[in-house]
Amino acid sequence: MMERRCSTGLLVLCVCAAVFNYVSASPEVCTNSLLPGAKGDQGEAGEEGDPGKLGKTGPPGFPGVPGEKGLRGDVGHTGKMGPTGEKGHKGDTGLDGPSGLKGKPGTTCDCGRYRKVVGQLEDNTGKLRNAVKFLKNVILGLKETEERYYLLVKEPKRFREASMNCKLRGGTLAMPKTTSTNSLMADYVSRAGLTRVYIGVQAQSKDADGTSRYVYADSSPLERFAAWSQEEEVNSRLSPTTNSSCVELLSTGTWGHVECEAAMFFICEFPKSRRRG
Protein backbone atom coordinates (compact mmCIF):
# COMPACT_ATOMS: atom_id res chain seq x y z
CA MET A 1 0.00 0.00 0.00
CA MET A 2 2.90 2.17 0.73
CA GLU A 3 4.25 1.69 -2.70
CA ARG A 4 0.90 2.67 -4.23
CA ARG A 5 0.88 6.04 -2.41
CA CYS A 6 4.40 6.87 -3.60
CA SER A 7 3.59 6.11 -7.23
CA THR A 8 0.43 8.26 -7.10
CA GLY A 9 2.31 11.30 -5.67
CA LEU A 10 5.02 10.94 -8.27
CA LEU A 11 2.42 10.91 -11.03
CA VAL A 12 0.79 14.16 -9.75
CA LEU A 13 4.17 15.84 -9.54
CA CYS A 14 4.99 14.98 -13.10
CA VAL A 15 1.64 16.31 -14.37
CA CYS A 16 2.18 19.68 -12.56
CA ALA A 17 5.64 20.06 -14.04
CA ALA A 18 4.39 19.45 -17.53
CA VAL A 19 1.60 22.03 -17.15
CA PHE A 20 4.03 24.72 -15.83
CA ASN A 21 6.38 24.21 -18.71
CA TYR A 22 3.56 24.62 -21.18
CA VAL A 23 2.25 27.84 -19.66
CA SER A 24 5.64 29.54 -19.42
CA ALA A 25 6.57 28.58 -22.98
CA SER A 26 3.35 29.93 -24.58
CA PRO A 27 3.70 33.58 -25.91
CA GLU A 28 -0.02 34.21 -25.97
CA VAL A 29 -0.72 34.10 -22.24
CA CYS A 30 -3.55 36.59 -21.28
CA THR A 31 -2.86 38.70 -18.19
CA ASN A 32 -4.74 41.62 -16.47
CA SER A 33 -1.61 43.90 -16.01
CA LEU A 34 -0.95 46.86 -18.47
CA LEU A 35 2.60 47.61 -19.49
CA PRO A 36 3.70 51.32 -20.18
CA GLY A 37 4.17 52.27 -23.79
CA ALA A 38 6.88 54.43 -25.40
CA LYS A 39 7.18 58.20 -24.56
CA GLY A 40 5.05 60.37 -26.81
CA ASP A 41 5.73 63.84 -28.32
CA GLN A 42 5.41 67.04 -26.19
CA GLY A 43 1.96 68.52 -26.36
CA GLU A 44 0.95 72.22 -26.67
CA ALA A 45 0.94 74.49 -23.54
CA GLY A 46 -2.45 74.77 -21.91
CA GLU A 47 -4.24 77.95 -20.77
CA GLU A 48 -3.16 79.71 -17.53
CA GLY A 49 -4.98 78.34 -14.55
CA ASP A 50 -6.71 80.23 -11.73
CA PRO A 51 -4.47 81.74 -8.95
CA GLY A 52 -3.96 79.41 -6.07
CA LYS A 53 -4.58 80.09 -2.39
CA LEU A 54 -2.12 82.26 -0.42
CA GLY A 55 0.50 80.29 1.39
CA LYS A 56 1.85 80.87 4.92
CA THR A 57 4.06 83.87 5.63
CA GLY A 58 7.67 82.94 5.26
CA PRO A 59 10.53 83.93 7.58
CA PRO A 60 11.80 87.59 7.42
CA GLY A 61 14.64 88.25 5.05
CA PHE A 62 17.95 89.93 5.79
CA PRO A 63 18.10 93.78 6.15
CA GLY A 64 18.51 95.54 2.88
CA VAL A 65 21.08 98.16 1.97
CA PRO A 66 20.25 101.68 3.42
CA GLY A 67 18.66 103.94 0.88
CA GLU A 68 19.76 107.43 -0.06
CA LYS A 69 19.12 110.32 2.38
CA GLY A 70 15.85 112.09 1.68
CA LEU A 71 15.19 115.82 1.43
CA ARG A 72 14.94 117.96 4.62
CA GLY A 73 11.37 118.26 5.84
CA ASP A 74 9.43 121.42 6.81
CA VAL A 75 9.96 123.16 10.17
CA GLY A 76 7.81 121.62 12.90
CA HIS A 77 5.69 123.39 15.54
CA THR A 78 7.43 125.28 18.35
CA GLY A 79 7.66 123.15 21.52
CA LYS A 80 7.12 124.19 25.14
CA MET A 81 9.75 126.35 26.83
CA GLY A 82 12.21 124.29 28.84
CA PRO A 83 13.46 125.04 32.37
CA THR A 84 15.81 127.97 32.98
CA GLY A 85 19.44 126.96 32.89
CA GLU A 86 22.15 127.88 35.38
CA LYS A 87 23.68 131.33 35.32
CA GLY A 88 26.71 131.44 33.08
CA HIS A 89 30.09 132.97 33.77
CA LYS A 90 30.52 136.69 33.43
CA GLY A 91 31.81 137.59 30.01
CA ASP A 92 34.71 139.80 29.15
CA THR A 93 34.30 143.56 29.20
CA GLY A 94 33.29 144.90 25.83
CA LEU A 95 34.92 147.68 23.92
CA ASP A 96 34.24 151.28 24.86
CA GLY A 97 31.46 152.85 22.85
CA PRO A 98 31.81 156.09 20.91
CA SER A 99 31.78 159.37 22.80
CA GLY A 100 28.45 161.14 23.02
CA LEU A 101 27.62 164.54 21.69
CA LYS A 102 28.75 167.61 23.56
CA GLY A 103 26.14 168.88 25.99
CA LYS A 104 24.72 172.33 26.27
CA PRO A 105 26.58 174.85 28.44
CA GLY A 106 25.27 175.11 32.00
CA THR A 107 23.92 178.18 33.71
CA THR A 108 26.03 180.35 36.00
CA CYS A 109 25.83 179.24 39.67
CA ASP A 110 25.30 181.81 42.39
CA CYS A 111 27.56 179.84 44.75
CA GLY A 112 28.01 182.67 47.19
CA ARG A 113 24.36 182.64 48.19
CA TYR A 114 24.31 178.83 48.60
CA ARG A 115 27.49 178.89 50.65
CA LYS A 116 25.87 181.39 52.97
CA VAL A 117 22.80 179.15 53.38
CA VAL A 118 24.97 176.08 54.05
CA GLY A 119 27.04 178.00 56.56
CA GLN A 120 23.91 179.16 58.36
CA LEU A 121 22.63 175.55 58.52
CA GLU A 122 25.95 174.39 60.00
CA ASP A 123 25.76 177.13 62.64
CA ASN A 124 22.19 176.16 63.52
CA THR A 125 23.17 172.47 63.70
CA GLY A 126 26.07 173.30 66.02
CA LYS A 127 23.82 175.37 68.28
CA LEU A 128 21.24 172.56 68.37
CA ARG A 129 23.95 170.02 69.20
CA ASN A 130 25.22 172.21 72.05
CA ALA A 131 21.66 172.67 73.32
CA VAL A 132 21.06 168.92 73.35
CA LYS A 133 24.36 168.38 75.13
CA PHE A 134 23.45 171.04 77.71
CA LEU A 135 20.05 169.40 78.18
CA LYS A 136 21.57 165.97 78.74
CA ASN A 137 24.53 166.96 80.90
CA VAL A 138 23.20 169.90 82.93
CA ILE A 139 19.43 169.66 83.14
CA LEU A 140 19.04 165.85 83.02
CA GLY A 141 22.47 165.17 84.47
CA LEU A 142 23.28 162.42 81.94
CA LYS A 143 26.73 161.06 81.23
CA GLU A 144 27.43 159.22 78.02
CA THR A 145 29.89 157.04 76.14
CA GLU A 146 29.83 156.01 72.50
CA GLU A 147 27.28 153.30 73.20
CA ARG A 148 25.37 154.21 76.39
CA TYR A 149 23.83 156.92 78.56
CA TYR A 150 24.20 156.96 82.37
CA LEU A 151 21.76 158.62 84.78
CA LEU A 152 22.39 159.15 88.51
CA VAL A 153 19.07 158.73 90.31
CA LYS A 154 19.02 160.57 93.65
CA GLU A 155 16.20 158.57 95.17
CA PRO A 156 17.26 156.23 98.03
CA LYS A 157 16.02 152.73 97.32
CA ARG A 158 16.92 149.18 98.22
CA PHE A 159 18.80 147.13 95.62
CA ARG A 160 15.76 145.30 94.23
CA GLU A 161 13.71 148.52 94.11
CA ALA A 162 16.56 150.35 92.36
CA SER A 163 16.83 147.58 89.78
CA MET A 164 13.08 147.76 89.11
CA ASN A 165 13.20 151.57 88.86
CA CYS A 166 15.86 151.38 86.13
CA LYS A 167 13.80 148.81 84.21
CA LEU A 168 10.73 151.04 84.36
CA ARG A 169 12.83 153.86 82.88
CA GLY A 170 13.85 151.54 79.99
CA GLY A 171 17.32 150.59 81.21
CA THR A 172 19.18 148.55 83.83
CA LEU A 173 21.39 149.21 86.83
CA ALA A 174 24.71 150.52 85.52
CA MET A 175 27.31 147.83 84.75
CA PRO A 176 30.91 149.15 84.67
CA LYS A 177 32.53 146.48 82.45
CA THR A 178 35.65 148.46 81.49
CA THR A 179 38.13 150.69 83.28
CA SER A 180 37.04 153.79 81.33
CA THR A 181 33.36 153.22 82.09
CA ASN A 182 34.12 152.63 85.76
CA SER A 183 36.15 155.85 85.95
CA LEU A 184 33.36 157.83 84.25
CA MET A 185 30.79 156.56 86.74
CA ALA A 186 33.07 157.20 89.73
CA ASP A 187 33.66 160.79 88.53
CA TYR A 188 29.88 161.12 88.09
CA VAL A 189 29.36 160.12 91.75
CA SER A 190 32.14 162.39 92.97
CA ARG A 191 30.88 165.50 91.09
CA ALA A 192 27.40 164.90 92.54
CA GLY A 193 28.88 165.15 96.04
CA LEU A 194 28.14 161.52 96.88
CA THR A 195 30.36 158.75 98.25
CA ARG A 196 28.67 155.57 97.06
CA VAL A 197 25.84 154.26 94.83
CA TYR A 198 24.35 150.92 93.83
CA ILE A 199 25.65 149.36 90.59
CA GLY A 200 24.39 146.33 88.68
CA VAL A 201 26.63 143.68 90.25
CA GLN A 202 25.40 141.01 92.67
CA ALA A 203 26.44 137.60 94.05
CA GLN A 204 24.28 135.00 92.36
CA SER A 205 25.29 131.58 93.67
CA LYS A 206 28.03 129.55 95.34
CA ASP A 207 30.55 127.36 93.56
CA ALA A 208 31.51 123.85 94.65
CA ASP A 209 34.37 125.20 96.81
CA GLY A 210 32.06 127.59 98.70
CA THR A 211 33.01 130.81 96.87
CA SER A 212 30.42 133.18 95.45
CA ARG A 213 29.87 133.85 91.78
CA TYR A 214 29.29 137.53 91.01
CA VAL A 215 27.44 138.54 87.87
CA TYR A 216 26.26 141.73 86.21
CA ALA A 217 22.62 142.77 85.99
CA ASP A 218 22.39 141.13 82.55
CA SER A 219 23.57 137.79 84.10
CA SER A 220 26.99 137.97 82.41
CA PRO A 221 29.91 136.90 84.66
CA LEU A 222 32.75 139.14 85.85
CA GLU A 223 35.41 137.84 83.49
CA ARG A 224 37.48 140.73 82.11
CA PHE A 225 37.06 143.50 84.67
CA ALA A 226 36.43 143.99 88.41
CA ALA A 227 37.33 146.97 90.61
CA TRP A 228 37.54 145.31 94.02
CA SER A 229 39.90 146.85 96.53
CA GLN A 230 42.52 144.52 98.01
CA GLU A 231 40.37 143.87 101.07
CA GLU A 232 37.19 143.48 99.04
CA GLU A 233 38.95 141.09 96.66
CA VAL A 234 39.45 138.69 99.56
CA ASN A 235 35.89 139.17 100.78
CA SER A 236 34.48 138.59 97.30
CA ARG A 237 35.90 135.07 97.37
CA LEU A 238 34.29 134.26 100.71
CA SER A 239 30.71 133.19 101.13
CA PRO A 240 28.73 136.37 101.90
CA THR A 241 25.51 136.45 103.83
CA THR A 242 22.25 136.81 101.97
CA ASN A 243 21.90 140.53 102.75
CA SER A 244 25.50 141.53 101.93
CA SER A 245 25.67 140.04 98.42
CA CYS A 246 25.08 143.36 96.61
CA VAL A 247 27.81 145.71 95.31
CA GLU A 248 28.33 149.47 95.61
CA LEU A 249 30.57 151.83 93.63
CA LEU A 250 32.59 154.31 95.73
CA SER A 251 33.56 157.75 94.51
CA THR A 252 37.18 156.52 94.52
CA GLY A 253 36.33 154.02 91.77
CA THR A 254 36.56 150.86 93.87
CA TRP A 255 33.80 148.35 94.56
CA GLY A 256 32.54 147.24 97.94
CA HIS A 257 30.04 144.81 99.44
CA VAL A 258 26.83 146.22 100.84
CA GLU A 259 23.62 144.87 102.31
CA CYS A 260 20.89 144.61 99.69
CA GLU A 261 18.33 146.10 102.12
CA ALA A 262 20.25 149.35 102.47
CA ALA A 263 18.56 152.43 100.92
CA MET A 264 21.01 154.12 98.53
CA PHE A 265 21.16 156.22 95.39
CA PHE A 266 21.92 154.35 92.17
CA ILE A 267 22.99 154.77 88.54
CA CYS A 268 20.95 153.51 85.57
CA GLU A 269 22.31 152.91 82.09
CA PHE A 270 20.50 153.11 78.73
CA PRO A 271 21.69 151.88 75.31
CA LYS A 272 21.91 154.38 72.50
CA SER A 273 19.70 153.71 69.50
CA ARG A 274 21.87 152.79 66.51
CA ARG A 275 21.17 154.30 63.12
CA ARG A 276 20.40 151.84 60.37
CA GLY A 277 22.89 151.88 57.53
Side-chain angles (χ1 to χ4, degrees), residues 171-220:
T172 59
L173 276 174
M175 296 175 287
K177 295 185 177 182
T178 61
T179 303
S180 59
T181 304
N182 192 75
S183 300
L184 181 144
M185 293 172 60
D187 182 70
Y188 196 5
V189 174
S190 178
R191 289 178 179 273
L194 304 176
T195 58
R196 60 177 187 169
V197 292
Y198 273 131
I199 57 175
V201 181
Q202 186 181 19
Q204 186 179 51
S205 60
K206 299 179 182 178
D207 295 333
D209 57 356
T211 59
S212 299
R213 180 173 177 265
Y214 284 84
V215 296
Y216 287 107
D218 59 1
S219 299
S220 60

Side-chain angles (χ1 to χ4, degrees), residues 234-253:
V234 176
N235 294 333
S236 65
R237 297 181 180 180
L238 300 178
S239 177
T241 61
T242 303
N243 293 332
S244 63
S245 60
C246 295
V247 180
E248 63 180 358
L249 171 66
L250 304 180
S251 59
T252 58

Side-chain angles (χ1 to χ4, degrees), residues 99-172:
S99 301
L101 300 176
K102 187 176 181 179
K104 297 180 180 180
T107 57
T108 304
C109 174
D110 188 4
C111 298
R113 183 179 65 178
Y114 289 111
R115 289 195 187 98
K116 184 177 181 180
V117 173
V118 172
Q120 187 66 34
L121 289 176
E122 291 180 351
D123 292 340
N124 293 339
T125 302
K127 292 179 180 179
L128 181 60
R129 187 181 297 108
N130 293 332
V132 172
K133 185 175 181 181
F134 176 81
L135 178 64
K136 292 188 297 183
N137 296 338
V138 179
I139 298 179
L140 297 179
L142 292 176
K143 296 292 182 180
E144 63 178 316
T145 61
E146 293 182 357
E147 297 181 352
R148 298 182 183 278
Y149 294 110
Y150 296 92
L151 173 64
L152 175 60
V153 181
K154 297 181 180 180
E155 299 177 10
K157 294 183 181 296
R158 292 177 291 184
F159 183 85
R160 181 174 296 180
E161 295 172 346
S163 178
M164 184 60 65
N165 187 277
C166 289
K167 290 181 180 179
L168 292 176
R169 294 172 184 266
T172 59

